Amino acid sequence: VEYAAGLPGVVYAEDNLYTCSQDTQERIRERIEEYGLNRVVVASCTPRTHEPLFQETIRGAGLNPHLFEMANIREQDSWVHRDDPDRATEKAKELVGMAVAKARRLRPIEHTRFGVDHRALVIGGGLAGMTAALSIAEQGFGVTLVEREEELGGNLRHIYTALPGGGDPQALLRRTVEAVLGHRRIRVLTGAEVEVVGGYVGQYRSVVRLRDGRREEIEHGVVVVATGAQEIEPREYLYGQDERVITQRELEERIAGSGLGSAVCGLRSVVMIQCVGSRDEEHPYCSRVCCTEAIKNALAIKESSPGTEVYILYRDIRTFGFRERYYREARREGVVFLEYDVERKPEVWVDGDVLRVEVEVQPEGEVVRLEADLVVLSAGIEPREGNGVLAQLLKVPLDGDGFFLEAHVKLRPLEFAAEGVYLCGMAHSPRFLEETIAQARGAAVRAVTLLAKEELEATPIVASVNPLLCSNCGQCIEVCPYDARVPEPEKFYVQVIDVLCQGCGACVAVCPNKASQQKGFEVSQVYGMLDAVVEG
């Protein structure tokens, strides 16, 4: 505080234990009025979580909210240098000095407003998409639900059995589909695919290709991504070569087709193998539902045919949360669990007419040979093949595994960095039915929060162009990922469409003569910060 008080342009400085508290916010407003302050700097934690709070505080005192600068001396300093407080203090001084230097050059930024189209586009007609569409529609807003398959339901169409005491998945499917098709505010387009997404938050215009090849433009204010995921097709353990080697999904379909008793009648031994296609080099993540699915089907077999021996070969049993009780129940019912090591996977081969399985059981290393009437593979889950194309259309990111990546895992878990676009279900990651429903309802609430507004404020931190410096070279147009720049042939400079600009700064980086500037991060402001470091 003593250092900050001596910096050029600083009129007043003080320290607070909880700068984000309501008492301190009122104190900041009082000091602005008392000293006639026209810039405010706060050195504390991350602006990602608290900058809007401080901006609203100075707005209440009559200042433009962008005449505020924040220095992060917690995550970027004290937390990473906790063992060296003296040097951490010196770094804090530098960060504060840079913030003050930038604040002296800040200029007010005006907010533009635009209207909102009170309709939603939901991409994906599985459980997540249908749940989100119903939730939005029941709150009074129109929804267009686009599903590229010929019928609704997604992966839920292939789930037939439930954990003991659980609801019937197929009954849930029928109820949900009937509710969606019967809702007057929901328009369903099956056999359709989104080809173009244009416009901006609150005013999107998308082109959908219908099943007959026709294209239709849809206007909407928000987008909910619920494209789901798909089962990994096994490439080991004789899958596709022997009809006695099937997946858990195929086992459930057999049960549904002929009844549980008929499906397992006469089976002396069933061997289930976990982590097929998951937790390897190609798919390094855990698919989350596989262990519970195997235990669910093992219990169903034991209930119908107690004499059938059921073996589950696993690397780690991951029955999340209260599902752990079903693991214990399976052991009580006689299901045998054998652990294997990833370096020594089970082997499956045919000996005459007998299907045999060999596994080296951990941790003892004992080799166990089993005769199997049926080998059931717990295949993992992978992203949809079209995720990359859709991500480019929506200008949203994918994670390293190919699933859609949310803006922030804790602060914004149901939305993307791109405003007005939300996600739910297995488009985000593998998850259980109840988790999918909860996430879909949450995404719908976030979408409705925006749809309920009559107007929105455009992103204030956008690019601008100095017409006197712009040579109309077009480099900024080429790199802009949001199509927010258009040439002005008659005026010989490039114009920025504020409502499309998301403030990424790509145009500023490529501009050869600094005609493009980022509001709030202008060259003079950034150079001022660098000068403060050098002079310090």
Side-chain angles (χ1 to χ4, degrees):
V1 174
E2 293 174 0
Y3 169 81
L7 291 172
V10 175
V11 175
Y12 176 80
E14 69 170 54
D15 67 297
N16 298 286
L17 184 58
Y18 298 109
T19 308
C20 57
S21 69
Q22 185 62 41
D23 292 344
T24 306
Q25 299 308 298
E26 184 59 36
R27 186 175 178 83
I28 291 174
R29 282 191 286 266
E30 292 173 354
R31 293 297 174 268
I32 290 174
E33 295 174 2
E34 179 182 352
Y35 289 91
L37 306 178
N38 58 16
R39 304 288 189 279
V40 176
V41 175
V42 171
S44 57
C45 57
T46 170
R48 190 166 191 176
T49 56
H50 286 81
E51 185 177 49
L53 171 66
F54 295 117
Q55 288 181 329
E56 190 59 34
T57 296
I58 72 168
R59 184 204 293 263
L63 293 181
N64 183 284
H66 297 282
L67 298 177
F68 170 82
E69 185 64 23
M70 196 166 181
N72 185 349
I73 60 173
R74 185 178 70 169
E75 285 88 346
Q76 295 180 359
D77 189 7
S78 65
W79 281 8
V80 292
H81 303 296
R82 65 184 65 196
D83 297 327
D84 196 346
D86 292 335
R87 294 186 65 184
T89 301
E90 291 304 312
K91 181 177 179 179
K93 291 179 180 179
E94 290 188 351
L95 291 173
V96 172
M98 293 167 66
V100 170
K102 181 182 177 184
R104 294 172 60 197
R105 295 166 174 82
L106 290 176
R107 295 192 291 182
I109 300 176
E110 300 302 322
H111 291 233
T112 58
R113 305 184 71 86
F114 55 91
V116 176
D117 188 314
H118 303 290
R119 291 171 290 184
L121 171 66
V122 177
I123 306 176
L127 179 61
M130 291 191 295
T131 302
L134 278 170
S135 180
I136 294 171
E138 287 168 357
Q139 296 178 73
F141 301 94
V143 180
T144 300
L145 178 61
V146 177
E147 167 57 46
R148 65 179 178 180
E149 301 293 334
E150 294 299 326
E151 57 182 315
L152 299 174
N155 289 297
L156 185 56
R157 300 203 311 266
H158 306 286
I159 303 176
Y160 296 92
T161 61
L163 288 166
D168 181 359
Q170 290 302 299
L172 171 64
L173 173 62
R174 289 191 295 272
R175 289 195 307 270
T176 308
V177 171
E178 289 173 3
V180 168
L181 294 178
H183 203 292
R184 63 186 179 87
R185 293 194 183 94
I186 300 178
R187 183 185 178 211
V188 177
L189 300 176
T190 56
E193 196 163 351
V194 177
E195 288 192 335
V196 178
V197 178
Y200 47 91
V201 55
Q203 294 289 338
Y204 287 109
R205 285 174 174 80
S206 300
V207 176
V208 177
R209 179 173 51 80
L210 306 178
R211 69 176 73 186
D212 59 4
R214 292 184 300 109
R215 286 167 173 77
E216 180 179 332
E217 184 176 88
I218 297 172
E219 297 180 353
H220 52 100
V222 299
V223 182
V224 178
V225 178
T227 50
Q230 62 192 26
E231 183 183 61
I232 298 171
E233 183 175 349
R235 293 180 291 187
E236 53 190 334
Y237 302 123
L238 300 183
Y239 181 78
Q241 304 174 39
D242 192 302
E243 62 181 10
R244 293 168 294 182
V245 180
I246 62 175
T247 64
Q248 295 285 356
R249 172 183 286 189
E250 292 167 343
L251 173 61
E252 292 197 22
E253 290 175 346
R254 285 192 184 186
I255 293 172
S258 59
L260 181 57
S262 300
V264 300
C265 180
L267 296 180
R268 294 169 300 171
S269 175
V270 176
V271 177
M272 299 181 177
I273 303 177
Q274 302 303 107
C275 294
V276 179
S278 286
R279 301 175 66 198
D280 55 20
E281 290 185 1
E282 188 174 352
H283 303 96
Y285 52 88
C286 171
S287 291
R288 189 174 174 83
V289 303
C290 312
C291 289
T292 302
E293 185 180 29
I295 290 173
K296 173 191 72 174
N297 289 336
L299 285 170
I301 292 172
K302 278 293 187 180
E303 180 181 2
S304 178
S305 177
T308 301
E309 295 178 344
V310 181
Y311 300 89
I312 296 181
L313 314 185
Y314 71 96
R315 288 172 59 186
D316 302 280
I317 290 295
R318 297 182 174 184
T319 47
F320 292 89
F322 292 111
R323 297 176 186 84
E324 190 74 20
R325 69 166 72 103
Y326 300 109
Y327 165 67
R328 294 195 294 269
E329 183 178 343
R331 292 180 66 95
R332 285 195 298 268
E333 294 296 326
V335 177
V336 179
F337 291 82
L338 301 176
E339 181 183 357
Y340 71 90
D341 188 87
V342 66
E343 301 298 331
R344 180 73 168 83
K345 289 185 175 182
E347 297 181 8
V348 179
W349 75 95
V350 178
D351 183 8
D353 292 331
V354 179
L355 189 62
R356 298 189 183 276
V357 181
E358 180 178 288
V359 58
E360 184 178 295
V361 180
Q362 300 301 315
E364 295 86 0
E366 176 186 0
V367 176
V368 175
R369 293 182 177 87
L370 305 169
E371 290 186 11
D373 295 321
L374 194 65
V375 172
V376 185
L377 307 181
S378 294
I381 296 171
E382 64 182 357
R384 291 283 185 191
E385 294 179 356
N387 279 6
V389 175
L390 183 58
Q392 290 183 347
L393 291 178
L394 295 171
K395 300 178 179 63
V396 297
L398 301 176
D399 64 17
D401 300 316
F403 293 97
F404 285 96
L405 181 64
E406 72 277 19
H408 191 283
V409 67
K410 291 184 178 180
L411 304 179
R412 298 173 65 191
L414 302 173
E415 52 198 287
F416 293 100
E419 295 292 333
V421 187
Y422 308 90
L423 79 161
C424 57
M426 289 203 295
H428 174 267
S429 59
R431 58 191 58 248
F432 294 96
L433 294 181
E434 59 268 30
E435 294 172 332
T436 294
I437 293 172
Q439 192 181 37
R441 288 174 177 168
V445 169
R446 295 297 303 139
V448 166
T449 301
L450 190 150
L451 291 176
K453 298 178 179 179
E454 292 299 325
E455 287 185 326
L456 293 176
E457 284 189 350
T459 302
I461 307 298
V462 297
S464 63
V465 174
N466 185 339
L468 298 178
L469 296 178
C470 180
S471 61
N472 205 14
C473 66
Q475 292 189 44
C476 59
I477 298 176
E478 294 179 6
V479 301
C480 179
Y482 302 101
D483 299 325
R485 288 179 165 258
V486 292
E488 285 282 359
E490 297 181 1
K491 298 180 180 180
F492 302 102
Y493 67 86
V494 175
Q495 181 184 7
V496 178
I497 304 175
D498 287 356
V499 292
L500 291 180
C501 180
Q502 297 297 311
C504 69
C507 56
V508 179
V510 301
C511 184
N513 52 3
K514 297 184 178 61
S516 289
Q517 295 285 302
Q518 189 90 339
K519 294 180 180 180
F521 295 91
E522 297 176 7
V523 170
S524 62
Q525 297 165 0
V526 176
Y527 282 2
M529 297 172 72
L530 297 175
D531 289 340
V533 175
V534 174
E535 293 170 1

